[in-house]
């Protein structure tokens, strides 16, 4: 059968396959172990492995690969179970494809044509067969096996399953891989040997495709320090995509606390499906390639030819249709792409049935002609529907009426301009928004200035004007290789803001949100938050050498943009480096445009860069290290530890080189970034290291290497920049220091970066980002854990391994509250501004589960009130959440505390809180980042009080009343159930209780005259016959106390101090031995590991 073309590795695969026949463009191969010969030992091994696999994952014994003479890349295009079947495919290729390929000039065109043809054949076969992809009956059977084998909570949603082999050492175990919302699970049972594996997605450090000597391709999973390899999938790429999506979904949901409100297919973890994940992956790729808003989703795809007027030929590609955009990308993705907002479409001409062509007319007297569209009529109707076009007379009449009314309104406001502000409700702060780029205000271009730099600037503008006349201008401009060439040469000052808006996609954001910026400026100005405090502190540190930011005009514009963005996105708020980037944006773009450019950078082009942990920047640094190993082998041989480059390059990524390059050179880098994304920054970073290779290799330490790079950046110039010397003072100030070093022109450096590393594909960069993101996040998590354990270890007596196990259980319990719901209190009240000690906390319901698993004596078992009181007792700051330190300190008292401390804990436990928890179990008192004024003085005072907090004296403890004392006695009885000295312990408690009641009664008689009503409680409570009955159950004493307490007259009020209870219990050696007896916490920890999931289910 024909296969969707997939790139394969032949480095090791040649040992498993034998070439049967071939030509210049195709090769037919047979798998060893099949047919004549058998292939010796290798053939025997391959045949054995294939025999172990079931019909759903067996590798077909024959296949056809596509290749081109000047390429090392092979593509699988067909496979067959028999020689006859594969020969039919081979003959079809020879008859229908071979003759056509000779007309193409390049290998890329040949490969594109073959891939398009094969995909068309697959689509035709799919229509004829009409086979349903998902078999509900088989899925139900798989679900039953999944539930039976792994005993996970019933709420766990199985997404899909695959037959594969799991490698334990050098031995493969054939079985089934089950992918669910929160877990990766594998099961195998062969010859009496059972293999079972369950890994949480949030525990995975690495997820990648690999190959080795035995396996052509496999999936490698690194989790909890162990490597797992899965291979022999029928559809390995599909499996890996689903695994990648589930891991990413888990990271975003559990670590980043995202709720996916704008993505319905992912908003409910109980409803995750394979199709939903695949759709989400396609949508992400679609939005990233065309730089579209996050609200856009890929709805329809059509293969077609687009007439390219400037090249005078049809280019093959795909039409991608979303809610608001019509996009086209040529087959290789680099020749040509165009984005047409539906708001720009003014008409769709009647389709040409003979050529299946469709012409779309856009504003600016331009038209795009798509031909050979399979469903051209459906596409035309879809475009008309999204543009709101109809051909009905009523629509035309109503349109004319609206136009007339609008013209009358315009004429009215022309005659009465004072009513304009009243009509739109413009506020005073809105009037202050600048409508000019700061460079236009502080450095206007002199049209009569004809110096060489200005002449060259005019020539650049002329080149772009010619480009606009050929390729179009504005949102529907064709982007081609020529566009990139012009970008590399440098963008003219006058066009920079316009092109940044266009290439970043910010122009679309601004067009669909008219008035949005002015509105949030009005709302945000005057607010006082942690973000605004940080913004005010950094305002005068933003390009201080530039005249624009030495005046109130520039500073005020910068304040408005940063404050408005912090108001729009409180999750990010404000992060250092945003001020530097925004300053440069304001130089070349109007204020509102600068705001939308900042939105595009923070939310699309550099995701997760500007937050507390700068995860995005760290991920790209990991990608950068990987690229250094690939391209700069000489450097890696000399410097085996590349972490140095991570620390040095952090500012390169966060500020797009603005912080290390002179401003007139840095803007050229920003030009490339807005066109090519992070790929441009990675390329330039490699070029910088390559340029300084000799110096870096000869350097003796990191300090010397840093000096080399600093001097290099000081000598990067822009010889074509028309900016005056007052603006270029950043570079001028360093000329004397490094006059002996040769100058490097930024255009030459960028050109060299594109020539040497321009073949790097954006898709590959995105794959590397995803591959490294898991490792970066887990490394940060591990660092957080070490910091937390270092702090907590000073407060408790647990060993390091025990604390490590406790942290793993606590963190897992935190995640369990998020596994099956998006409405968990932990998610709803997450505050990223809190310190690392507070990042993982438990609400009451999660605390109850974990505390019941780890407490040494079943203290709160069967008593919900005690669980609640224990929770409130540990919640020292009364925020409705218990952090790891508070939790460990409580367990430390119960396991390692003195007799007095343990008794004090029990005593305080029976003094219930003043108020109860709300229904969601959480009371949040800490201010959320970016939303309210932070009382720093209150935080400092709380910190100081905690430092100066003295040991609590037993005299400071309040007395407990009669109801609390009775509950305290019940708790003591429950502790002894099942103890070898259970009977002695019960008797001892009875004696202590009797003694305390007598002491209280004696004290009362000394103060007041004796009366019959006061003597009654003593006589009733001293009747302890039940305690001496050996056959009584453990509940008898409690019932007795409850009954006798009910016989106490209501007017009698008595209470006990902690000193009285302590002194009485110390007189009973059996009680002292019980509380001082060591309890094996390791056994409890091991039990909790296995019971944690089940405990969650049963609660």
């Amino acid at each position: 059968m024909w296969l969707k073309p997939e790139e394969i590795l032949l480095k090791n695969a040649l040992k498993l396959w034998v070439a049967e026949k071939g030509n210049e463009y195709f090769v037919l191969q047979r798998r060893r172990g099949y047919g004549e010969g058998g292939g010796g030992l290798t053939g025997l091994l391959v045949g054995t492995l294939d025999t172990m696999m079931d019909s759903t994952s067996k590798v077909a014994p024959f296949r056809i690969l596509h290749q081109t003479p000047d390429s090392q890349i092979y593509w699988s295009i067909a496979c067959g179970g028999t020689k006859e079947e594969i020969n039919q495919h081979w003959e079809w290729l020879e008859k229908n494809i071979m003759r056509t390929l000779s007309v193409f000039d390049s290998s890329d065109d040949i490969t594109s044509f073959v891939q398009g043809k094969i995909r068309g054949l697959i689509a035709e076969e799919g229509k004829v067969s009409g086979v349903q992809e998902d078999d509900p009956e088989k899925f139900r059977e798989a679900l039953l096996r999944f539930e039976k084998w792994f005993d996970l909570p019933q709420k766990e949603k199985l997404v899909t399953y695959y037959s594969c082999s799991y490698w334990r050492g050098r031995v493969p175990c054939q079985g089934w891989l089950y992918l669910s919302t929160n877990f990766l699970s594998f099961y195998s049972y062969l010859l009496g040997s059972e293999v079972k594996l369950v890994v949480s997605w949030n525990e995975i450090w690495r997820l990648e495709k690999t190959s080795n000597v035995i396996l052509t391709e496999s999936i490698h999973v690194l989790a909890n320090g162990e490597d797992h390899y899965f291979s022999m999938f029928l559809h390995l790429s599909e499996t890996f995509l689903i695994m990648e999506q589930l891991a990413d979904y888990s990271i975003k949901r559990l670590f980043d606390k995202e709720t996916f409100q704008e993505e319905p297919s992912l908003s409910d973890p109980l409803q995750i499906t394979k199709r939903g994940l695949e759709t989400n992956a396609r949508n992400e790729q679609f939005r990233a390639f065309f730089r579209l808003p996050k609200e856009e989703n890929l709805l329809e795809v059509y293969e077609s030819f687009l007439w390219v007027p400037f090249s005078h030929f049809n280019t093959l590609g795909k039409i991608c249709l979303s809610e608001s955009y019509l996009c086209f990308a040529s087959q290789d993705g680099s020749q040509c792409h165009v984005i047409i907002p539906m708001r720009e479409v003014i008409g769709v001409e009647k389709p040409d049935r003979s050529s299946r062509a469709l012409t779309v007319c856009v504003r600016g007297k331009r038209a795009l002609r798509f031909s050979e569209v399979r469903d051209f009529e459906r596409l035309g109707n879809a475009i008309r529907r999204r543009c709101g076009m109809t051909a009905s007379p009523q629509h035309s009449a109503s349109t004319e009426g609206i136009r007339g009314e609008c013209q009358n309104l315009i004429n009215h406001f022309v005659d009465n301009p004072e009513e304009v502000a009243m009509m739109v409700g413009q506020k005073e702060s809105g009037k202050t928004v600048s409508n000019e780029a700061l460079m236009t205000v502080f450095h206007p271009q002199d049209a009569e200035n004809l110096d060489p730099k200005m002449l060259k600037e005019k020539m650049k503008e002329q080149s772009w004007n010619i480009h606009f006349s050929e390729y179009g201008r504005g949102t529907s401009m064709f982007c081609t290789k020529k566009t990139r060439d012009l970008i590399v040469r440098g963008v003219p000052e006058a066009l920079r803001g316009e092109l940044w808006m266009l290439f970043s996609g910010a122009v679309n954001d601004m067009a669909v949100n008219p008035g949005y910026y002015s509105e949030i400026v009005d709302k945000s100005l005057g607010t006082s938050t942690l973000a605004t405090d940080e913004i005010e502190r950094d305002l005068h540190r933003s390009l201080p050498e530039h005249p624009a930011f030495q005046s109130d005009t520039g500073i005020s514009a910068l304040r408005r943009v940063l404050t408005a963005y912090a108001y729009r996105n409180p999750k990010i708020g404000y992060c250092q480096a945003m001020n530097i980037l925004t300053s440069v944006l304001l130089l070349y773009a109007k204020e509102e445009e600068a705001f939308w450019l900042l939105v595009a950078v923070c939310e699309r082009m550099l995701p997760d860069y500007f937050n507390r942990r700068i995860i995005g920047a760290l991920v790209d640094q990991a990608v950068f290290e990987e690229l250094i190993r690939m391209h700069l082998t000489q450097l890696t041989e000399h410097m085996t530890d590349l972490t140095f480059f991570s620390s040095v390059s952090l500012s390169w990524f966060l500020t797009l080189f603005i912080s290390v390059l002179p401003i007139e050179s840095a803007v050229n880098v920003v030009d490339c970034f807005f066109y090519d994304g992070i790929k441009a920054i990675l390329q330039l970073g490699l070029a910088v290291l390559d340029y300084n290779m000799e110096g870096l290799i000869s350097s003796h330490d990191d300090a010397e290497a840093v000096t080399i790079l600093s001097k290099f950046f000081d000598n990067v110039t822009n010889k074509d920049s028309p900016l005056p010397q007052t603006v270029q003072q950043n570079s001028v100030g360093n000329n004397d220091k490094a006059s002996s070093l040769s100058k490097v022109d930024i255009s030459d450096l960028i050109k060299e970066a594109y020539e040497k590393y321009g073949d790097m594909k954006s898709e590959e960069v995105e794959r590397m980002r995803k591959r490294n993101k898991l490792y970066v996040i887990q490394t940060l998590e591990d660092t957080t854990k070490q910091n937390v354990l270092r702090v907590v270890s000073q407060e408790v007596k647990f060993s390091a391994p025990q604390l490590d196990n406790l942290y793993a259980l606590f963190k897992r319990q935190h995640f369990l509250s998020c596994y099956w719901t998006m409405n968990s209190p932990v998610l709803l009240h997450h505050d990223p501004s809190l310190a690392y000690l507070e990042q993982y906390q438990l609400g009451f319901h999660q605390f109850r589960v974990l505390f019941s698993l780890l407490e040494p004596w079943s203290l709160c078992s069967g008593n919900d009130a005690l669980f609640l009181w224990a929770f409130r007792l540990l919640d020292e700051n009364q925020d409705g959440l218990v952090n790891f330190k508070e939790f460990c300190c409580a367990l430390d008292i119960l396991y390692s505390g003195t007799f007095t401390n343990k008794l004090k804990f029990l005593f305080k436990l029976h003094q219930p809180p003043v108020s109860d928890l709300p229904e969601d179990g959480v009371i949040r008192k800490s201010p959320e980042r970016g939303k309210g004024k932070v009382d720093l003085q209150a935080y400092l005072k709380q910190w100081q009080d905690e430092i100066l907090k003295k040991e609590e004296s037993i005299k400071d403890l309040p007395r407990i009343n009669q109801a609390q004392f009775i509950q305290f006695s019940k708790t003591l009885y429950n502790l002894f159930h099942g103890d070898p000295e259970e009977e002695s312990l019960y008797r001892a408690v009875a004696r202590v209780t009797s003694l305390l009641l007598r002491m209280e009664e004696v004290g009362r008689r000394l103060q007041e005259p004796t009366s019959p009503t006061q003597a009654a409680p003593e006589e009733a409570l001293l009747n302890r016959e039940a305690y001496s009955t050996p056959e009584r159950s453990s509940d008898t004493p409690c019932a007795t106390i409850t009954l006798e307490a009910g016989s106490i007259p209501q007017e009698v009020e008595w209470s006990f101090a902690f000193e009285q209870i302590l002194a009485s219990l110390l007189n009973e050696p059996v009680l002292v031995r019980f509380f001082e007896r060591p309890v094996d916490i390791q056994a409890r920890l091991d039990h909790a590991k296995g019971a944690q999931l089940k405990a969650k289910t049963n609660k």
Side-chain angles (χ1 to χ4, degrees):
M1 65 178 179
W2 299 109
L3 302 175
K4 180 181 177 182
E6 287 190 0
E7 186 178 334
I8 64 169
L9 300 175
L10 287 184
K11 181 179 179 181
N12 300 311
L14 292 173
K15 299 177 182 179
L16 306 180
W17 295 88
V18 180
E20 288 281 300
K21 60 177 75 174
N23 54 43
E24 192 177 7
Y25 300 109
F26 302 98
V27 58
L28 190 154
Q29 294 181 335
R30 171 178 54 83
R31 192 167 174 83
R32 291 184 184 272
Y34 292 89
E36 299 176 0
L41 181 60
T42 305
L44 181 61
L45 174 61
V46 175
T48 303
L49 293 178
D50 288 351
T51 303
M52 291 171 60
M53 291 187 288
D54 63 9
S55 60
T56 62
S57 62
K58 275 188 179 180
V59 178
F62 299 96
R63 69 179 182 181
I64 298 175
L65 306 179
H66 163 64
Q67 63 170 347
T68 52
D70 55 348
S71 174
Q72 299 297 318
I73 299 175
Y74 286 72
W75 300 83
S76 62
I77 60 173
C79 68
T82 63
K83 198 166 186 177
E84 293 74 17
E85 180 187 0
I86 203 70
N87 279 332
Q88 289 179 3
H89 290 332
W90 181 265
E91 291 171 2
W92 188 91
L93 290 171
E94 286 185 325
K95 292 179 181 178
N96 298 278
I97 299 293
M98 285 297 297
R99 297 177 183 176
T100 311
L101 298 183
S102 60
V103 303
F104 291 97
D105 296 327
S106 68
S107 300
D108 290 341
D109 292 341
I110 293 173
T111 301
S112 298
F113 177 79
V114 171
Q115 290 179 350
K117 201 68 180 176
I118 297 301
R119 289 192 182 98
L121 290 171
I122 294 172
E124 288 295 331
E125 287 180 349
K127 283 190 174 182
V128 173
S129 61
V131 177
Q132 186 177 357
E133 182 179 344
D134 299 324
D135 188 335
E137 192 60 37
K138 284 188 176 180
F139 191 86
R140 277 195 294 271
E141 293 175 5
L143 180 59
L144 291 174
R145 292 196 301 267
F146 172 72
E147 293 173 346
K148 173 185 174 183
W149 288 337
F150 302 107
D151 197 24
L152 293 172
Q154 291 184 352
K155 290 188 289 186
E156 181 64 13
K157 175 69 167 62
L158 177 63
V159 176
T160 188
Y161 62 99
Y162 298 95
S163 176
C164 69
S165 290
Y166 170 58
W167 290 79
R168 304 180 70 187
R170 295 181 177 272
V171 180
C173 302
Q174 179 61 30
W176 293 91
L177 179 68
Y178 294 86
L179 306 180
S180 60
T181 306
N182 299 294
F183 300 96
L184 176 154
S185 310
F186 176 84
Y187 184 85
S188 173
Y189 186 84
L190 190 64
L191 301 177
S193 176
E194 183 182 54
V195 178
K196 189 184 295 186
L197 174 72
V198 178
V199 178
S200 298
W201 293 113
N202 55 273
E203 297 173 343
I204 293 179
W205 283 63
R206 284 205 180 277
L207 177 64
E208 57 190 349
K209 291 182 185 178
T210 59
S211 62
N212 53 43
V213 176
I214 299 178
L215 304 174
T216 307
E217 273 193 304
S218 62
I219 296 176
H220 171 220
V221 177
L222 172 62
N224 297 320
E226 297 182 9
D227 292 293
H228 308 282
Y229 291 91
F230 303 92
S231 67
M232 301 186 190
F233 293 93
L234 183 61
H235 303 292
L236 186 137
S237 295
E238 175 194 297
T239 308
F240 183 75
L241 174 66
I242 298 298
M243 293 173 73
E244 199 174 50
Q245 284 288 302
L246 284 169
D248 187 58
Y249 178 61
S250 178
I251 290 295
K252 290 179 179 178
R253 193 162 50 94
L254 302 178
F255 292 103
D256 299 338
K257 303 297 187 293
E258 288 191 20
T259 55
F260 301 94
Q261 295 178 354
E262 298 176 357
E263 299 179 53
S265 62
L266 302 180
S267 59
D268 185 357
L270 301 180
Q271 303 298 327
I272 299 298
T273 63
K274 174 186 170 186
R275 183 169 300 174
L277 291 169
E278 291 173 335
T279 301
N280 183 66
R282 284 196 299 270
N283 290 336
E284 286 181 345
Q285 186 178 8
F286 167 66
R287 289 190 293 261
F289 184 85
F290 292 109
R291 307 273 172 81
L292 298 178
K294 58 185 177 182
E295 297 81 13
E296 295 301 314
N297 293 306
L298 181 60
L299 301 179
E300 300 176 40
V301 178
Y302 302 85
E303 285 198 355
S304 76
F305 287 90
L306 172 64
W307 173 252
V308 186
F310 46 86
S311 300
H312 304 290
F313 74 94
N314 283 313
T315 180
L316 176 64
K318 289 184 178 179
I319 301 171
C320 300
L321 197 65
S322 71
E323 292 91 341
S324 307
Y325 295 89
L326 173 68
C327 308
F328 177 87
S330 59
Q331 197 70 29
D332 60 3
S334 61
Q335 272 189 349
C336 166
H337 72 268
V338 62
I339 304 166
I340 308 168
M342 293 298 182
R343 64 181 183 274
E344 297 291 322
V345 177
I346 59 175
V348 179
E349 293 186 3
K350 189 175 180 180
D352 181 359
R353 293 183 175 276
S354 61
S355 59
R356 295 187 294 182
L358 194 73
T359 303
V360 179
C361 303
V362 297
R363 288 191 176 92
K365 299 181 179 180
R366 298 184 55 221
L368 292 90
R369 187 175 188 274
F370 301 98
S371 59
E372 298 298 328
V373 184
R374 189 180 304 278
D375 296 322
F376 61 97
E377 291 184 344
R378 179 183 173 187
L379 174 60
N381 292 331
I383 297 173
R384 292 189 189 95
R385 186 169 60 253
R386 283 171 173 76
C387 295
M389 298 177 192
T390 62
S392 64
Q394 294 86 348
H395 175 78
S396 301
S398 62
T399 303
E400 290 300 323
I402 293 171
R403 286 177 181 171
E405 291 179 11
C406 290
Q407 188 60 48
N408 293 335
L409 193 60
I410 291 170
N411 294 335
H412 172 75
F413 282 123
V414 169
D415 298 333
N416 302 277
E418 69 280 357
E419 295 185 20
V420 173
M422 295 173 59
M423 182 70 182
V424 299
Q426 190 176 34
K427 297 182 181 179
E428 190 64 30
S429 60
K431 295 179 182 178
T432 62
V433 174
S434 174
N435 290 320
E436 287 186 287
L438 294 179
M439 196 64 77
T440 306
V441 177
F442 288 89
H443 178 49
Q445 291 191 6
D446 185 1
E448 298 180 358
N449 185 357
L450 298 179
D451 63 29
K453 289 186 177 181
M454 286 304 300
L455 286 175
K456 195 155 189 177
E457 187 76 2
K458 294 295 182 185
M459 291 174 62
K460 283 184 181 180
E461 290 184 24
Q462 185 62 27
S463 298
W464 276 98
N465 288 329
I466 294 172
H467 182 275
F468 292 148
S469 64
E470 293 180 352
Y471 297 81
R473 185 169 188 171
T475 52
S476 56
M477 181 180 78
F478 284 87
C479 294
T480 66
K481 291 180 179 178
K482 186 176 179 182
T483 313
R484 178 180 281 118
D485 293 341
L486 288 173
I487 291 287
V488 171
R489 286 165 52 189
V491 175
E493 298 279 316
L495 298 176
R496 187 160 271 137
E498 176 188 343
L499 294 177
W500 286 358
M501 289 289 289
L502 177 64
F503 297 139
S504 67
V507 64
N508 294 315
D509 292 325
M510 192 171 78
V512 297
N513 293 285
Y516 176 85
Y517 176 66
S518 296
E519 181 182 343
I520 63 168
V521 165
D522 292 338
K523 291 180 179 179
S524 62
L525 283 183
T527 59
S528 180
T529 65
L530 181 61
T532 57
D533 291 345
E534 293 175 347
I535 290 169
E536 290 297 327
R537 186 187 61 215
D538 288 347
L539 282 177
H540 295 278
R541 304 176 187 174
S542 311
L543 299 186
E545 72 281 357
H546 198 285
F549 298 100
Q550 296 169 1
S551 71
D552 184 63
T553 302
I555 294 295
S556 297
L558 181 61
R559 177 186 292 112
R560 287 191 294 271
V561 172
L562 291 175
T563 305
Y565 186 78
Y567 184 88
R568 165 191 167 88
N569 192 343
K571 185 177 179 181
I572 292 178
Y574 171 76
C575 180
Q576 283 190 345
M578 288 173 67
N579 60 320
I580 297 174
L581 175 60
T582 307
S583 301
V584 174
L585 299 179
L586 282 166
L587 290 178
Y588 294 97
K590 299 174 184 178
E591 187 177 319
E592 184 177 4
E593 293 175 341
F595 169 80
W596 288 112
L597 284 169
L598 184 63
V599 169
V601 171
C602 295
E603 299 176 14
R604 275 202 306 273
M605 301 185 72
L606 296 179
D608 298 325
Y609 258 61
F610 302 101
N611 55 32
R612 187 176 59 87
R613 301 199 294 179
I614 57 171
I615 290 174
L618 296 176
V619 169
D620 284 339
Q621 283 184 298
V623 173
F624 188 51
E625 284 187 26
E626 197 171 331
L627 291 172
I628 292 173
R629 291 188 178 91
M630 291 169 56
H631 297 282
L632 304 177
T633 53
Q634 189 178 353
L635 189 61
T636 55
E637 290 171 2
H638 176 74
M639 304 178 71
T640 53
D641 184 11
L642 298 182
T643 54
F644 160 74
F645 295 111
S646 294
S647 58
V648 170
S649 64
L650 182 60
S651 63
W652 303 0
F653 291 98
L654 281 174
T655 66
L656 309 179
F657 283 92
I658 296 170
S659 62
V660 294
L661 286 174
I663 185 63
E664 70 276 7
S665 301
V667 291
N668 285 39
V669 179
V670 180
D671 296 340
C672 299
F673 167 75
F674 278 123
Y675 189 82
D676 276 321
I678 194 61
K679 187 182 91 150
I681 306 300
L682 294 168
Q683 290 174 181
L684 185 61
L686 291 174
V688 168
L689 297 182
D690 190 20
Y691 193 94
N692 295 277
M693 180 78 74
E694 293 183 8
L696 292 172
I697 289 176
S698 60
S699 61
H700 298 89
D701 52 35
D702 291 351
E704 187 176 349
V706 170
T707 303
I708 291 170
L709 292 174
S710 298
K711 289 181 178 178
F712 170 78
F713 287 128
D714 290 341
N715 284 274
V716 175
T717 63
N718 187 347
K719 64 178 185 294
D720 298 332
S721 175
L723 297 180
Q725 292 299 318
T726 55
V727 175
Q728 299 185 35
Q729 61 184 355
N730 188 19
S731 60
V732 173
N734 295 304
N735 284 345
D736 297 335
K737 297 180 182 179
S739 57
S740 59
L741 298 176
S742 59
K743 300 293 182 182
V744 180
D745 187 72
I746 186 64
S747 297
D748 296 335
L749 186 62
I750 291 175
K751 184 178 179 182
E752 183 178 348
Y754 272 89
E755 288 177 351
K756 287 188 175 182
Y757 312 109
D759 57 348
M760 187 192 313
K761 293 183 178 179
S762 298
E763 294 81 1
E764 179 60 28
V765 171
E766 287 302 318
R767 281 196 291 269
M768 294 170 73
R769 272 179 156 181
K770 288 184 178 180
R771 184 166 64 243
N772 285 283
K773 184 177 180 180
L774 290 171
Y775 185 80
V776 167
I777 287 180
Q778 296 291 8
T779 302
L780 289 174
E781 288 293 308
D782 194 58
T783 303
T784 299
K785 181 181 78 170
Q786 299 305 324
N787 290 334
V788 171
L789 295 186
R790 186 177 63 253
V791 172
V792 175
S793 62
Q794 300 172 7
E795 307 284 337
V796 299
K797 297 183 180 65
F798 295 127
S799 66
Q802 289 171 347
L803 265 182
D804 195 276
N805 289 334
L806 274 172
Y807 185 86
L809 288 168
F810 190 89
K811 181 178 175 181
R812 192 183 195 193
Q813 192 66 43
H814 170 91
F815 284 155
L816 282 172
S817 67
C818 312
Y819 270 2
W820 300 286
T821 179
M822 287 294 188
N823 298 319
S824 165
V826 173
L827 287 174
L828 298 176
H829 301 281
H830 175 65
D831 185 358
S833 66
L834 293 175
Y836 54 80
L837 198 60
E838 306 284 342
Q839 283 305 300
Y840 293 121
Q841 300 175 308
L842 300 183
F844 169 66
H845 302 295
Q846 296 82 42
F847 164 82
R848 177 185 173 184
V849 173
L850 189 59
F851 193 70
S852 64
L853 290 172
L854 294 174
E855 57 168 320
W857 307 310
S858 300
L859 179 63
C860 305
S861 179
N863 193 324
D864 291 339
L866 275 182
F867 274 116
L868 178 60
W869 297 347
F871 178 78
R872 295 302 300 269
L873 177 63
L874 303 188
D875 182 16
E876 294 180 0
N877 59 355
Q878 297 182 359
D879 64 349
L881 295 169
V882 170
N883 63 35
F884 181 67
K885 180 182 176 182
E886 295 167 339
F887 187 82
C888 284
C889 288
L891 287 180
D892 184 62
I893 292 173
L894 297 179
Y895 280 98
S896 307
T898 63
F899 175 78
T900 302
N901 286 336
K902 289 178 181 178
L903 195 63
K904 188 198 302 183
F905 182 86
L906 295 176
F907 183 84
K908 293 166 66 176
L909 188 64
H910 292 81
Q911 295 171 335
V914 177
S915 60
D916 293 329
L917 291 177
E919 291 183 3
D920 68 352
V922 176
I923 301 173
R924 296 300 286 167
K925 291 189 176 182
S926 60
E928 294 186 43
R929 185 183 181 88
K931 288 189 177 180
K933 178 64 176 177
V934 178
D935 191 350
L936 297 178
Q937 293 296 329
Y939 272 134
L940 290 173
K941 186 178 185 305
Q942 181 182 348
W943 183 41
Q944 185 180 21
D945 292 343
E946 195 169 310
I947 293 174
L948 300 176
K949 184 171 62 177
K950 63 179 180 179
E951 183 70 24
E952 185 180 38
S953 171
I954 59 176
K955 294 182 179 180
D956 299 331
L957 295 175
R959 299 169 70 88
I960 57 175
N961 58 34
Q962 59 192 38
Q964 295 167 354
F965 177 72
I966 292 172
Q967 183 59 55
F968 176 78
S969 302
K970 288 183 181 181
T971 302
L972 288 178
Y973 286 122
N974 288 334
L975 296 183
F976 309 143
H977 181 61
D979 191 271
E981 296 183 287
E982 181 178 1
E983 186 65 30
S984 300
L985 289 166
Y986 280 131
R987 292 175 181 272
V989 172
R991 288 192 294 269
V992 169
T993 307
S994 300
L995 177 61
L996 286 170
L997 289 169
R998 283 174 178 167
M999 290 170 57
E1000 177 65 18
E1001 188 60 30
V1002 169
R1004 190 174 294 277
R1005 285 177 178 178
L1006 290 175
Q1007 296 177 4
E1008 300 176 8
T1010 305
S1011 66
T1013 57
Q1014 292 172 326
E1018 178 193 358
E1019 295 175 3
L1021 290 169
L1022 291 180
N1023 184 10
R1024 302 296 175 186
E1025 294 299 327
Y1027 295 149
S1028 60
T1029 307
E1031 294 81 13
R1032 52 127 178 84
S1033 68
S1034 61
D1035 293 332
T1036 305
C1038 303
T1040 304
I1041 287 181
T1042 304
L1043 178 64
E1044 292 170 350
S1047 66
I1048 300 173
Q1050 294 297 319
E1051 62 270 13
V1052 177
E1053 289 295 335
W1054 42 271
S1055 63
F1056 296 103
F1058 176 73
E1059 300 101 303
Q1060 294 175 291
I1061 297 176
L1062 176 63
S1064 302
L1065 290 175
L1066 283 172
N1067 289 325
E1068 298 291 339
V1070 66
L1071 288 174
V1072 176
R1073 283 199 308 270
F1074 174 82
F1075 282 106
E1076 291 185 345
R1077 184 191 308 155
V1079 181
D1080 185 7
I1081 187 174
Q1082 192 58 50
R1084 301 294 291 179
L1085 290 172
D1086 295 339
H1087 167 72
K1089 286 180 185 177
Q1092 195 173 23
L1093 272 176
K1094 297 177 184 178
K1096 174 67 181 177
T1097 309
N1098 296 333
K1099 294 297 178 184

